[in-house]
Amino acid sequence: MSSAGQTAADALAEPAVRVRTPRARATTAYVRYGAGKVGGALVSLLAVLVTGFFLFRLIPGDPVKTMTGGRPVSAEQLASYRREFGLDLPLWQQFTDYCGNALTGDLGTSYQFHAPVVDKIGEALPNTLLLTGTAFVLYTALGILLGTRAAWRHGRLGDRLNTGLALTLYSVPSFWLGLLLIIVFSVGIGPIPGLFPTGGMESGGEEGFAYVLDVAHHLILPVVTLVAVEYGQTLLVTRSALLDEMGSDYLTTARAKGLRDDLVRRRHAVPNALLPTVTLVFVNLGRTVAGVILVETVFSWPGLGGLFYQALSVPDLPLVQGLFLFFAAAVIIMNTLADLVYPLLDPRVGR
């Protein structure tokens, strides 16, 4: 057989080389990217678990003595309490027990409520989600709407007013604004009567639709506080992203085709400019859940924030640690989801 024939036979005998398509390469790159982000999130959660255990043990005060309410208690009774809650164990053993239980979903038993921490979080979570969910939807929609209009009319009076107001409110502490709203609209000042409750979630004694209206009435001021403080960031990010898109060639082409300015903005500019805003939405969702502590405390809202403040005053170590872990996990999980979603919206990310 000639050398040419032998070469052809060898080529036919060799197994075919698998050619990876661009789609397969992109999928592999995304899996590696996602695995890295999830791994980083798990490391962050572990760091939060360790930090939370040691951080809150620096709080001055004896939780066992606080639980007695100042009543005279014998040393034997105090020792019995410490044995009951494991406070008589060496610190290293308390730490290993805490980590082992937390990994199985057991965050311990509250000192003051004598109930599982997970149950106390579950009881208060719906109230927090009602407050933060309502505020989140409102300030996200308001920020995107005003940011879009400000960018499309940048440099005009409306743009300057919107941007200036957003920057001012974004720099205001939420607890200070909440107290100011209570003074003006709950207590009443000058000709302004007290229109809203000073705190709480309900007046009591209401049922059915009257109960819904009562809760909505109590919800207004804390929601206004959160919306006023938070919408500015969404506005500024949306405005900046849209301004970057304004000079793009595809917008000039769309205008040259005779499309109205409003259609060019809604169909072409805004969808592309919303990529950074989508990431911010996920981040804000986790940050709002974790950052509602001050607002709930000011308005005596019976949610996770108020529960955290109450636990700190004891200090109720298992409840404080459990809430700290929950708040941190909310932020970490939402940040990770933002990292995982963004490459799906912009394939250039993660490659």
Side-chain angles (χ1 to χ4, degrees):
M1 181 181 292
S2 65
S3 59
Q6 183 66 34
T7 302
D10 293 341
L12 291 174
E14 292 178 357
V17 178
R18 178 178 294 180
V19 179
R20 298 180 63 192
T21 63
R23 184 181 183 86
R25 289 196 297 269
T27 301
T28 303
Y30 179 76
V31 170
R32 291 177 179 173
Y33 169 83
K37 294 298 180 181
V38 172
L42 293 176
V43 172
S44 298
L45 284 173
L46 181 61
V48 168
L49 191 69
V50 175
T51 303
F53 177 83
F54 292 103
L55 176 64
F56 295 110
R57 275 162 175 75
L58 300 176
I59 300 175
D62 188 343
V64 173
K65 290 184 177 179
T66 305
M67 282 187 291
T68 63
R71 300 187 306 272
V73 179
S74 65
E76 291 77 9
Q77 288 175 312
L78 290 177
S80 176
Y81 276 126
R82 288 192 171 90
R83 281 195 303 271
E84 179 184 352
F85 293 106
L87 295 174
D88 61 328
L89 299 175
L91 188 62
W92 67 266
Q93 189 172 349
Q94 294 183 42
F95 174 68
T96 55
D97 290 346
Y98 167 69
C99 290
N101 292 333
L103 292 177
T104 62
D106 181 8
L107 299 179
T109 302
S110 169
Y111 294 163
Q112 55 184 326
F113 297 108
H114 299 278
V117 170
V118 174
D119 292 348
K120 297 303 298 181
I121 292 176
E123 292 173 6
L125 181 59
N127 298 338
T128 293
L129 292 180
L130 174 63
L131 173 59
T132 58
T134 304
F136 172 77
V137 171
L138 291 177
Y139 76 67
T140 300
L142 184 65
I144 293 176
L145 175 64
L146 295 181
T148 301
R149 296 181 67 85
W152 210 251
R153 296 173 174 81
H154 67 282
R156 300 182 185 178
L157 178 61
D159 174 32
R160 294 196 295 270
L161 290 177
N162 277 333
T163 305
L165 181 61
L167 286 171
T168 301
L169 291 175
Y170 185 61
S171 62
V172 171
S174 58
F175 72 90
W176 182 85
L177 181 59
L179 290 173
L180 184 63
L181 292 178
I182 289 175
I183 293 173
V184 176
F185 296 105
S186 294
V187 178
I189 183 173
I192 303 176
L195 300 174
F196 301 99
T198 57
M201 183 176 173
E202 57 180 292
S203 301
E206 303 290 348
E207 296 180 358
F209 186 66
Y211 173 77
V212 175
L213 292 178
D214 185 39
V215 172
H217 191 212
H218 285 75
L219 192 64
I220 290 175
L221 287 187
V223 165
V224 168
T225 302
L226 285 174
V227 170
V229 173
E230 298 292 344
Y231 91 96
Q233 186 180 21
T234 306
L235 182 151
L236 295 173
V237 170
T238 303
R239 178 182 181 275
S240 176
L242 188 54
L243 284 176
D244 291 340
E245 295 288 331
M246 297 274 287
S248 300
D249 293 337
Y250 70 89
L251 295 183
T252 304
T253 303
R255 291 190 182 96
K257 291 181 178 179
L259 292 179
R260 298 196 311 272
D261 203 50
D262 182 60
L263 290 177
V264 172
R265 180 177 74 245
R266 287 191 291 107
R267 293 184 180 179
H268 300 280
V270 172
N272 289 310
L274 283 182
L275 290 178
T277 306
V278 170
T279 305
L280 182 64
V281 165
F282 282 95
V283 174
N284 279 345
L285 184 57
R287 191 169 59 87
T288 301
V289 173
V292 78
I293 298 173
L294 293 176
V295 174
E296 286 193 355
T297 302
V298 168
F299 289 97
S300 302
W301 188 264
L304 295 177
L307 188 63
F308 186 77
Y309 177 79
Q310 188 176 355
L312 273 177
S313 63
V314 172
D316 188 339
L317 294 179
L319 187 53
V320 169
Q321 290 167 175
L323 287 168
F324 178 75
L325 179 62
F326 179 84
F327 290 144
V331 175
I332 292 172
I333 290 173
M334 288 300 109
N335 285 354
T336 304
L337 285 178
D339 290 335
L340 295 178
V341 168
Y342 202 89
L344 302 178
L345 303 175
D346 187 352
R348 295 171 297 179
V349 178
R351 290 187 175 180

